[in-house]
Short mmCIF file of all heavy atoms in Angstrom, two decimals:
data_model
loop_
_atom_site.label_atom_id
_atom_site.label_comp_id
_atom_site.label_asym_id
_atom_site.label_seq_id
_atom_site.Cartn_x
_atom_site.Cartn_y
_atom_site.Cartn_z
N ASP A 47 129.52 148.50 170.92
CA ASP A 47 128.30 147.74 170.57
C ASP A 47 127.06 148.56 170.86
O ASP A 47 126.95 149.23 171.90
CB ASP A 47 128.26 146.44 171.37
CG ASP A 47 129.34 145.45 170.92
OD1 ASP A 47 130.12 145.80 170.02
OD2 ASP A 47 129.37 144.33 171.48
N ALA A 48 126.13 148.51 169.91
CA ALA A 48 124.81 149.11 170.08
C ALA A 48 123.82 147.95 170.01
O ALA A 48 123.30 147.60 168.95
CB ALA A 48 124.55 150.14 168.98
N CYS A 49 123.63 147.31 171.15
CA CYS A 49 122.88 146.04 171.23
C CYS A 49 121.39 146.26 171.01
O CYS A 49 120.72 145.52 170.29
CB CYS A 49 123.10 145.39 172.58
SG CYS A 49 124.83 145.33 173.08
N GLY A 50 120.87 147.28 171.70
CA GLY A 50 119.45 147.65 171.65
C GLY A 50 119.37 148.93 172.43
O GLY A 50 120.39 149.57 172.68
N PHE A 71 129.16 148.38 166.27
CA PHE A 71 128.41 147.16 165.96
C PHE A 71 126.94 147.36 166.32
O PHE A 71 126.59 147.48 167.49
CB PHE A 71 129.01 145.95 166.71
CG PHE A 71 130.25 145.45 166.05
CD1 PHE A 71 131.50 145.95 166.40
CD2 PHE A 71 130.17 144.52 165.04
CE1 PHE A 71 132.65 145.52 165.76
CE2 PHE A 71 131.31 144.07 164.39
CZ PHE A 71 132.56 144.57 164.74
N THR A 73 122.70 146.47 165.96
CA THR A 73 121.69 145.44 165.67
C THR A 73 120.53 146.07 164.88
O THR A 73 120.39 147.29 164.84
CB THR A 73 121.08 144.88 166.96
OG1 THR A 73 120.35 145.93 167.62
CG2 THR A 73 122.14 144.32 167.90
N HIS A 99 125.92 143.56 164.21
CA HIS A 99 125.81 142.96 165.56
C HIS A 99 124.56 142.07 165.64
O HIS A 99 124.08 141.76 166.73
CB HIS A 99 125.76 144.09 166.60
CG HIS A 99 126.00 143.65 168.02
ND1 HIS A 99 126.84 142.61 168.38
CD2 HIS A 99 125.52 144.14 169.21
CE1 HIS A 99 126.84 142.48 169.69
NE2 HIS A 99 126.05 143.39 170.23
N HIS A 103 119.88 140.52 168.23
CA HIS A 103 120.73 140.41 169.39
C HIS A 103 120.56 139.07 170.13
O HIS A 103 120.37 139.03 171.34
CB HIS A 103 120.53 141.58 170.38
CG HIS A 103 121.72 141.83 171.25
ND1 HIS A 103 121.73 141.59 172.60
CD2 HIS A 103 122.96 142.29 170.95
CE1 HIS A 103 122.91 141.88 173.10
NE2 HIS A 103 123.68 142.33 172.11
N ILE A 116 120.95 135.14 178.33
CA ILE A 116 120.31 135.38 177.02
C ILE A 116 120.20 134.05 176.26
O ILE A 116 121.17 133.32 176.16
CB ILE A 116 121.11 136.39 176.16
CG1 ILE A 116 121.36 137.68 176.94
CG2 ILE A 116 120.37 136.69 174.85
CD1 ILE A 116 122.12 138.72 176.14
N ARG A 148 129.81 140.69 164.95
CA ARG A 148 130.05 140.35 166.35
C ARG A 148 128.69 139.92 166.91
O ARG A 148 127.72 140.68 166.84
CB ARG A 148 130.60 141.52 167.14
CG ARG A 148 130.71 141.19 168.66
CD ARG A 148 131.23 142.33 169.48
NE ARG A 148 132.67 142.53 169.28
CZ ARG A 148 133.26 143.73 169.40
NH1 ARG A 148 132.56 144.80 169.65
NH2 ARG A 148 134.57 143.84 169.24
N GLY A 149 128.64 138.71 167.44
CA GLY A 149 127.37 138.20 167.97
C GLY A 149 127.09 138.75 169.36
O GLY A 149 128.00 139.19 170.07
N ALA A 150 125.83 138.76 169.75
CA ALA A 150 125.43 139.13 171.11
C ALA A 150 126.23 138.27 172.09
O ALA A 150 126.40 137.06 171.87
CB ALA A 150 123.95 138.89 171.29
N THR A 151 126.76 138.86 173.13
CA THR A 151 127.59 138.28 174.21
C THR A 151 129.03 137.99 173.73
O THR A 151 129.88 137.67 174.55
CB THR A 151 127.04 136.96 174.82
OG1 THR A 151 127.26 135.86 173.92
CG2 THR A 151 125.56 137.06 175.17
N ALA A 152 129.29 138.09 172.43
CA ALA A 152 130.64 137.86 171.88
C ALA A 152 131.16 136.46 172.17
O ALA A 152 132.35 136.21 172.17
CB ALA A 152 131.62 138.92 172.34
N ILE A 201 136.54 146.77 173.49
CA ILE A 201 135.08 146.67 173.35
C ILE A 201 134.43 147.46 174.49
O ILE A 201 134.89 147.42 175.64
CB ILE A 201 134.59 145.20 173.39
CG1 ILE A 201 133.08 145.11 173.15
CG2 ILE A 201 134.92 144.52 174.70
CD1 ILE A 201 132.55 143.69 173.09
N HIS A 203 130.28 149.75 175.21
CA HIS A 203 128.91 149.90 174.70
C HIS A 203 128.53 151.37 174.52
O HIS A 203 128.92 152.22 175.32
CB HIS A 203 127.93 149.20 175.66
CG HIS A 203 128.07 147.72 175.60
ND1 HIS A 203 129.11 147.06 176.21
CD2 HIS A 203 127.34 146.77 174.96
CE1 HIS A 203 129.01 145.76 175.95
NE2 HIS A 203 127.95 145.57 175.20
N ASN A 205 125.15 152.09 173.96
CA ASN A 205 123.67 152.04 173.97
C ASN A 205 123.08 152.14 175.40
O ASN A 205 121.93 151.79 175.59
CB ASN A 205 123.18 150.74 173.31
CG ASN A 205 123.58 149.51 174.11
OD1 ASN A 205 124.71 149.44 174.59
ND2 ASN A 205 122.67 148.57 174.27
ZN1 LIG B 301 125.49 143.37 172.21
#
Side-chain angles (χ1 to χ4, degrees):
D47 290 1
C49 312
F71 282 90
T73 66
H99 196 32
H103 204 249
I116 306 181
R148 174 181 286 150
T151 76
I201 183 177
H203 290 76
N205 66 317

